[in-house]
Amino acid sequence: MIWKRSAVLRFYSVCGLLLQAAASKNRVKGSQGQFPLTQNVTVVEGGTANLTCRVDQNDNTSLQWSNPAQQTLYFDDKKALRDNRIELVRATWHELSISVSDVSLSDEGQYTCSLFTMPVKTSKAFLTVLGVPEKPQISGFSSPVMEGDLMQLTCKTSGSKPAADIRWFKNDKEIKDVKYLKEEDANRKTFTVSSTLDFRVDRNDDGVKVICRVDHESLNSTPQVAMQVLEIHYTPSVKIIPSTPFPQEGQPLVLTCESKGKPLPEPVLWTKDGGELPDPDRMVVSGRELNIIFLNKTDNGTYRCEATNTIGQSSAEYVLIVHDPNALAGQTGPDHALIGGIVAVVVFVTLCSIFLLGRYLARHKGTYLTNEAKGAEDAPDADTAIINAEGSQVNAEEKKEYFI
């Protein structure tokens, strides 16, 4: 097989030399405008690379593709290298196109298209092979984690070329403060990248989804992700909720002990004023509820609810004051005495105002003499004015005016 392969290569090389030798001088002049054109190609590992060489002006001169090891792949439409992955796409005097399927990282390099003019003209095309990153893995989580502990999660992926980018998200919110490490793999072509996330957990982190996302140009905008759901254990939180804001004597009351924790708190413990419930017949505990069937004044006091899990204990208190229903009705109903007092004051003020107004009008009703009646206006001096005024009293009734 090796001998046959060498013979084939020598045959095509001899053919190339014969074609070069057969080129005439007048063709040399015409070939000066001929030049092969190629383009660089980028392909994802495992994909198919298409290599195309074009010549705009070609006078039936042969084209050839060779690999980075300078092995001839195709000479015009004749295959020279026995590799089932390499196929002819198109072969004309103006174009030689081939395809390489199932591309591996070792296929990366500079490919050469040769146009056998005098002299031979070449064009280079660099084939870039992208290494696809492996699915990421998150390590460092051991369930469960206690509230307040420092958690360190590491996300790692290998096989990327160029090195992939890792991003962290916590409930869809990106976390920026992370560590990033890039290492070259043993093949010296791909990379292993890792990122570390450090944070202190609390009860709000329970059930939160932490996502590691790997971005890379080989993934066609579809990043690879790994997810870790957090499980946080924490002490209970307790709150007492009464069924009514104003407990009344003779009515029932339900106190609900609302407790949250992980693990779920055990059945709660009810106490009154630091001791056991005094009247078990009327005070019935059902799950997390304390039912007082018939309230009376002796039920006044401080009720305490305690919740416990394997992490710790917590409690809440409720001060019960039993109200007299009659007193509450008097407080909530209208104050008739106050309303009657206000009405009386308004009436008294109104009557006083009417009385004073009448007195005022009565005192200002009467007669007065005008200057014309008194004769003072036409008097030459003060003495004459007085005499005229006294003398005119007789006729004053004729010029009397009334003020109302």
Side-chain angles (χ1 to χ4, degrees), residues 52-113:
T52 299
C53 180
R54 290 188 176 89
V55 180
D56 291 337
Q57 299 177 7
N58 190 0
D59 51 1
N60 300 339
T61 303
S62 295
L63 291 170
Q64 172 187 287
W65 270 113
S66 57
N67 63 14
Q70 295 303 311
Q71 295 173 317
T72 301
L73 303 179
Y74 264 90
F75 187 88
D76 287 336
D77 59 349
K78 299 175 179 60
K79 189 173 184 178
L81 185 65
R82 289 184 178 275
D83 189 336
N84 295 330
R85 299 178 306 131
I86 303 174
E87 297 290 340
L88 178 66
V89 176
R90 189 175 186 183
T92 66
W93 294 117
H94 296 281
E95 179 182 334
L96 179 59
S97 296
I98 62 174
S99 66
V100 183
S101 60
D102 194 19
V103 174
S104 64
L105 295 174
S106 61
D107 292 323
E108 184 174 88
Q110 187 169 265
Y111 288 72
T112 304
C113 175

Side-chain angles (χ1 to χ4, degrees), residues 150-389:
L150 182 64
M151 179 178 290
Q152 184 177 85
L153 300 177
T154 299
C155 181
K156 188 175 183 179
T157 180
S158 301
S160 60
K161 177 183 173 295
D165 184 32
I166 295 180
R167 300 166 67 184
W168 286 95
F169 294 85
K170 187 177 177 183
N171 270 1
D172 297 329
K173 182 178 181 181
E174 186 172 2
I175 304 173
K176 296 289 188 179
D177 188 16
V178 296
K179 299 175 184 177
Y180 182 83
L181 179 64
K182 177 178 71 174
E183 297 177 331
E184 194 175 55
D185 294 334
N187 59 15
R188 305 188 66 83
K189 292 179 179 293
T190 59
F191 294 88
T192 294
V193 293
S194 60
S195 179
T196 303
L197 170 65
D198 297 315
F199 64 101
R200 197 169 298 278
V201 299
D202 58 32
R203 63 188 59 200
N204 295 324
D205 292 321
D206 184 50
V208 166
K209 296 178 181 178
V210 176
I211 296 174
C212 161
R213 193 176 89 180
V214 175
D215 293 320
H216 194 263
E217 54 187 299
S218 67
L219 299 176
N220 296 324
S221 303
T222 306
Q224 292 184 348
V225 297
M227 183 178 66
Q228 178 65 63
V229 180
L230 303 183
E231 182 182 359
I232 312 300
H233 283 194
Y234 53 93
T235 57
S237 60
V238 183
K239 180 172 63 175
I240 298 178
I241 303 174
S243 58
T244 175
F246 297 103
Q248 299 183 31
E249 191 173 8
Q251 293 185 353
L253 175 67
V254 179
L255 299 179
T256 302
C257 183
E258 187 179 89
S259 59
K260 297 180 181 178
K262 196 164 187 179
L264 191 66
E266 300 171 0
V268 297
L269 175 64
W270 286 97
T271 59
K272 178 177 184 276
D273 297 329
E276 296 182 355
L277 298 176
D279 192 348
D281 293 333
R282 289 189 308 109
M283 301 178 178
V284 180
V285 177
S286 176
R288 302 181 184 279
E289 294 181 349
L290 171 59
N291 298 273
I292 305 177
I293 299 174
F294 191 86
L295 289 174
N296 58 51
K297 294 291 185 179
T298 62
D299 296 329
N300 289 339
T302 301
Y303 290 79
R304 182 185 180 91
C305 168
E306 294 182 359
T308 305
N309 63 8
T310 56
I311 308 302
Q313 183 186 66
S314 185
S315 63
E317 293 183 346
Y318 173 78
V319 178
L320 173 60
I321 300 176
V322 179
H323 300 275
D324 185 349
N326 297 324
L328 286 175
Q331 293 176 4
T332 57
D335 194 338
H336 298 288
L338 179 61
I339 296 175
I342 294 174
V343 172
V345 171
V346 172
V347 173
F348 176 76
V349 171
T350 303
L351 292 175
C352 290
S353 300
I354 295 173
F355 176 75
L356 293 175
L357 181 60
R359 288 289 304 273
Y360 176 81
L361 294 176
R363 293 185 62 182
H364 287 77
K365 181 179 180 182
T367 62
Y368 67 93
L369 297 178
T370 63
N371 290 335
E372 183 180 357
K374 293 180 178 180
E377 185 178 356
D378 298 331
D381 50 32
D383 294 336
T384 307
I386 292 173
I387 296 171
N388 291 341

